[in-house]
Amino acid sequence: MCGIVGYIGHRKAYPIVLKGLQRLEYRGYDSAGIAIFDGSDIKLSKTKGKVADLQDRLEKEIPTEGNLAFGHTRWATHGVPNDVNSHPHYSNSQNLAIIHNGIIENYGTLRQELIKRGYTFTSETDTEVLVNLIEEIKIKEGVKLGKAVQIALNEVVGAYAITVFDKERPHELVVARLGSPLAIGVGEEEFFIASDASPFIEYTKNAIYLEDGEMAIVSREKGVRIRKIKNDKQVAANVQELKMNLEQIEKGGYEHFMLKEIYEQPNAISDTFRGRMRPKSGIIKMAGIDDNFEKFKNAKRIIIIACGTSWHAGLVAEYIIEELVRTPVEVEYASEFRYRNPIIYPDDVVIAISQSGETADTMAAIKLAKKSGAFVFGVCNVVGSSISRETHAGAYTHAGPEIGVASTKAFTTQITVLVIMSLKLAKEKGTITHTEYHNYLQELDLIPEKVKEALTCNDHVKTVAAKYKEASNFLYLGRGYNFPVALEGALKLKEISYIHAEGYPAAEMKHGPIALIDEQMPVVVIATRKGHYEKVVSNIQEIKSRKGKIIGIVTKGDKAVKELADYVIEVPETSELLTPLLTTIPLQLLSYHIAVMLDKNVDQPRNLAKSVTVE
Ligand code: M6R
């Protein structure tokens, strides 16, 4: 939540920060602001709304010259989205300014104390409290900005990634992180600060990812000096080379990132296989599993923790792991798990799934599991993310940057990684036969081509979208491996079109939801040929008798559902266990087209943000 960008160097800072904010807008987009140091003062401009609104306003309001600037795109936590609550925030003297991603939990007490000492506040934010606390410490203790930030951060409780500037020290920015990501781009006599590396990718491939509990003084004169916030211990900077390129984070001719990412799935899935799977020789290589095989082999239970779409991928994995590996699996919402005093045994294996690798609830659940002695394995997309570093071992999905707030390729690549893992474990444990193993590998290898074929339904899906776009409710039904896909289809529709949708196991209809069916209700039913097909056809008949409108997601060549349904959308045939990788495609496209037809903001739906780094 919230994106932060900063620049200090020899270039004009404003355009770099502005473009950086546009790239980070997926993290939050209810307000935005930029501070520019003009050589003597900090000039601020901020507004409720998008980065584009900020640009209009800022260029009329303040001069854009200067080699140091920092900006923020906000997803509101404390205080409604308005101009005043937007970041950056000045300290009372206006000598300091700050941008902040996260939540200061004890801000109420700190604010009262500062008020007693004569400080005033213009906003409702926790951030304005923090910048004034830093200012007070700086004056009272007679210390430089870096030290004041450090002392202040030892007084606050909460999560943060911050950038602070003091006009009395115009050659440096002070940054710190705890629980929210922060990267420093290292160029030739210039430095970039950002929530992820996308704002500086065209300027430098060298980045330092601050670890939790670290702060850095980023100085044009002295470079990057990192210290531990708690004990002031110096830390050597670990400069990493970025693999990401500019093309990957641009729309590449597509109208929206979401559509681009839907169409990237064949390649994304191939990238997930790359270097791991050799179907002809029957080899699967996964360092994270190879090195920890005994943990998986001896596990009495696997617990999967995740949120949102990643949780749905976890549910698919539950079916797959239990089928192939025969180890019991429990799938938990990380947000519930972390607070319900769960029973975790040291011989449990915990799999944490997260696209961003930054989700606060998942991170907290991981820490809890580690405390109980369990082995924690991460499945993340973002390389170097907090979760990938916090887990004992893991596997990246290699889906490439996902910018659209609605997850698409993250879901299919997470399932792909989990299938590969399951096949490897099943083979090593001997829970599937040699023939089954090889057949699955061959089938998996064909999936990217089959996803390509599934994507050819796009025009037909558009017709279906046009027909039902005015519906107020949708039901999504599936069974077995495709029950979680029904949940995922409903989530996609809800989050980008704001139409109420629910996913159910098809057989549960008769226990309640069937009461909802009338001629106004579109019901999307996943009815693949090998997945309890006859039973699902009976469920479709029950819906038909109650005049519901049926959109069937079926295997190519299907006859029975075609006779009953109002529309069918075909996907290629594959092993039932792999069908989620195909049946998901039309559901992603359906939600996309409905949202576009309803003129919704597909990539940045209201109230949401791409990575949820707050509770
Ligand atoms: O980055 P993560 O996978 O940990 O994110 C989890 C959820 O916040 C995320 O999947 C969210 O539900 C998406 N907006 C779904 O499209």
Side-chain angles (χ1 to χ4, degrees):
M1 325 305 269
C2 302
I4 65 179
V5 187
Y7 176 81
I8 178 168
H10 46 80
R11 302 175 206 249
K12 184 172 170 179
Y14 166 66
I16 296 171
V17 172
L18 184 76
K19 204 195 284 163
L21 288 183
Q22 280 156 352
R23 291 203 187 134
L24 291 186
E25 217 171 10
Y26 71 89
R27 300 180 64 86
Y29 34 81
D30 58 45
S31 37
I34 291 181
I36 302 171
F37 180 60
D38 69 2
S40 51
D41 282 311
I42 309 168
K43 301 282 196 255
L44 283 192
S45 178
K46 50 191 194 170
T47 185
K48 177 176 181 222
K50 304 260 177 188
V51 177
D53 303 313
L54 172 69
Q55 182 176 8
D56 287 348
R57 179 166 175 167
L58 184 145
E59 289 171 13
K60 288 180 203 126
E61 223 168 52
I62 59 171
T64 60
E65 298 310 314
N67 305 120
L68 184 151
F70 47 102
H72 187 267
T73 175
R74 181 167 186 246
W75 185 87
T77 55
H78 290 68
V80 294
N82 63 24
D83 296 357
V84 177
N85 288 334
S86 310
H87 300 210
H89 289 282
Y90 279 130
S91 63
N92 274 192
S93 69
Q94 299 199 348
N95 284 346
L96 312 189
I98 191 170
I99 46 176
H100 168 215
N101 167 25
I103 293 178
I104 305 300
E105 289 170 14
N106 58 338
Y107 85 107
T109 328
L110 294 170
R111 185 180 162 115
Q112 287 316 314
E113 284 167 12
L114 286 166
I115 289 172
K116 275 190 218 144
R117 284 178 235 143
Y119 281 82
T120 55
F121 294 92
T122 51
S123 78
E124 300 157 87
T125 64
D126 48 348
T127 308
E128 198 187 4
V129 173
L130 179 57
V131 71
N132 281 306
L133 179 65
I134 295 168
E135 171 148 87
E136 209 220 16
I137 292 168
K138 190 186 147 212
I139 297 167
K140 211 169 92 194
E141 309 276 331
V143 290
K144 291 181 193 155
L145 179 68
K147 193 71 199 164
V149 168
Q150 188 186 18
I151 298 171
L153 292 179
N154 277 304
E155 286 185 27
V156 306
V157 178
Y160 48 78
I162 54 168
T163 299
V164 198
F165 175 68
D166 176 358
K167 71 178 196 182
E168 288 167 3
R169 299 188 66 75
H171 52 279
E172 71 186 28
L173 286 166
V174 176
V175 299
R177 76 157 277 187
L178 183 70
S180 301
L182 199 129
I184 304 168
V186 183
E188 290 286 318
E189 290 176 32
E190 60 180 348
F191 300 95
F192 307 79
I193 313 294
S195 300
D196 70 34
S198 61
F200 54 78
I201 193 69
E202 66 261 57
Y203 303 105
T204 179
K205 293 271 188 225
N206 297 324
I208 300 167
Y209 289 93
L210 275 198
E211 296 285 346
D212 261 351
E214 287 180 355
M215 60 176 288
I217 299 174
V218 181
S219 158
R220 275 194 78 174
E221 291 162 0
K222 296 188 181 153
V224 181
R225 286 163 294 153
I226 306 174
R227 315 194 83 86
K228 291 274 179 207
I229 298 166
K230 243 197 187 132
N231 58 16
D232 202 35
K233 225 169 119 193
Q234 211 172 316
V235 178
N238 173 18
V239 183
Q240 301 183 24
E241 201 191 322
L242 298 169
K243 300 274 182 281
M244 182 199 284
N245 61 43
L246 191 57
E247 224 174 59
Q248 286 179 306
I249 53 167
E250 287 179 339
K251 278 191 206 150
Y254 287 90
E255 204 185 330
H256 298 100
F257 280 112
M258 182 181 177
L259 191 62
K260 176 183 174 231
E261 288 154 9
I262 291 173
Y263 274 88
E264 277 174 350
Q265 288 175 107
N267 285 339
I269 294 172
S270 299
D271 289 345
T272 308
F273 295 162
R274 187 154 303 134
R276 288 181 169 147
M277 197 177 94
R278 273 189 250 142
K280 285 205 183 95
S281 49
I283 291 172
I284 293 179
K285 272 196 169 306
M286 284 183 98
I289 303 278
D290 291 327
D291 298 347
N292 301 286
F293 178 67
E294 289 302 307
K295 301 254 184 230
F296 283 94
K297 191 178 155 206
N298 299 330
K300 301 269 175 312
R301 175 174 71 154
I302 291 175
I303 303 172
I304 297 180
I305 47 176
C307 301
T309 289
S310 299
W311 184 77
H312 295 155
L315 285 180
V316 176
E318 176 183 21
Y319 284 79
I320 295 174
I321 296 171
E322 290 199 345
E323 173 68 32
L324 299 179
V325 190
R326 307 304 296 154
T327 304
V329 179
E330 284 170 26
V331 188
E332 300 263 1
Y333 282 118
S335 53
E336 285 299 308
F337 185 78
R338 64 180 288 196
Y339 283 120
R340 68 167 181 76
N341 197 10
I343 299 164
I344 311 166
Y345 300 111
D347 57 1
D348 282 336
V349 165
V350 174
I351 302 178
I353 310 175
S354 173
Q355 185 287 128
S356 62
E358 301 294 345
T359 301
D361 285 321
T362 310
M363 189 65 169
I366 291 169
K367 288 186 176 156
L368 184 72
K370 279 174 76 179
K371 241 191 209 157
S372 306
F375 171 73
V376 187
F377 188 91
V379 174
C380 293
N381 187 33
V382 178
V383 176
S385 55
S386 305
I387 290 177
S388 69
R389 282 177 289 143
E390 185 67 31
T391 41
H392 294 114
Y396 285 116
T397 51
H398 297 308
E402 192 183 66
I403 312 283
V405 165
S407 259
T408 51
K409 61 177 179 169
F411 181 63
T412 44
T413 53
Q414 285 165 346
I415 295 173
T416 304
V417 161
L418 292 156
V419 170
I420 303 177
M421 278 172 65
S422 305
L423 285 171
K424 180 163 181 65
L425 292 170
K427 183 189 173 214
E428 306 288 342
K429 278 182 73 180
T431 46
I432 54 171
T433 64
H434 183 78
T435 315
E436 284 169 330
Y437 175 76
H438 282 274
N439 288 347
Y440 278 127
L441 273 192
Q442 304 295 340
E443 263 308 311
L444 193 53
D445 195 36
L446 298 175
I447 287 291
E449 276 310 308
K450 292 190 180 182
V451 172
K452 253 187 216 162
E453 194 183 332
L455 284 164
T456 60
C457 71
N458 187 45
D459 287 344
H460 180 44
V461 174
K462 248 191 214 170
T463 315
V464 180
K467 175 85 184 164
Y468 297 113
K469 65 178 194 296
E470 306 298 344
S472 316
N473 300 286
F474 267 73
L475 275 179
Y476 285 73
L477 305 179
R479 291 188 81 144
Y481 301 108
N482 282 297
F483 156 54
V485 177
L487 297 180
E488 174 60 8
L491 175 64
K492 288 290 86 90
L493 188 71
K494 277 185 272 208
E495 62 180 341
I496 61 169
S497 71
Y498 320 144
I499 296 174
H500 171 244
E502 291 197 48
Y504 267 100
E508 275 295 301
M509 284 295 285
K510 55 187 175 296
H511 300 292
I514 200 158
L516 294 167
I517 305 282
D518 62 16
E519 59 278 12
Q520 312 296 331
M521 178 70 89
V523 187
V524 180
V525 190
I526 306 163
T528 45
R529 195 141 43 221
K530 295 173 196 154
H532 315 284
Y533 182 69
E534 284 77 23
K535 307 265 178 222
V536 180
V537 171
S538 304
N539 298 139
I540 292 176
Q541 248 144 1
E542 289 155 14
I543 300 162
K544 180 108 180 144
S545 321
R546 287 153 184 90
K547 299 198 170 67
K549 304 291 178 243
I550 296 151
I551 304 153
I553 311 297
V554 298
T555 311
K556 201 168 162 188
D558 176 278
K559 293 211 175 69
V561 179
K562 213 174 245 166
E563 274 175 24
L564 296 167
D566 296 86
Y567 291 92
V568 292
I569 303 166
E570 293 187 337
V571 295
E573 177 139 28
T574 185
S575 317
E576 187 54 25
L577 184 142
L578 300 177
T579 52
L581 295 167
L582 303 180
T583 51
T584 305
I585 305 295
L587 304 193
Q588 294 171 344
L589 288 169
L590 182 65
S591 61
Y592 171 78
H593 288 302
I594 291 179
V596 170
M597 287 171 192
L598 296 178
D599 205 22
K600 304 293 184 217
N601 189 337
V602 171
D603 285 332
Q604 295 172 353
R606 71 183 181 203
N607 304 339
L608 296 178
K610 185 68 184 164
S611 53
V612 186
T613 54
V614 294
E615 283 193 57

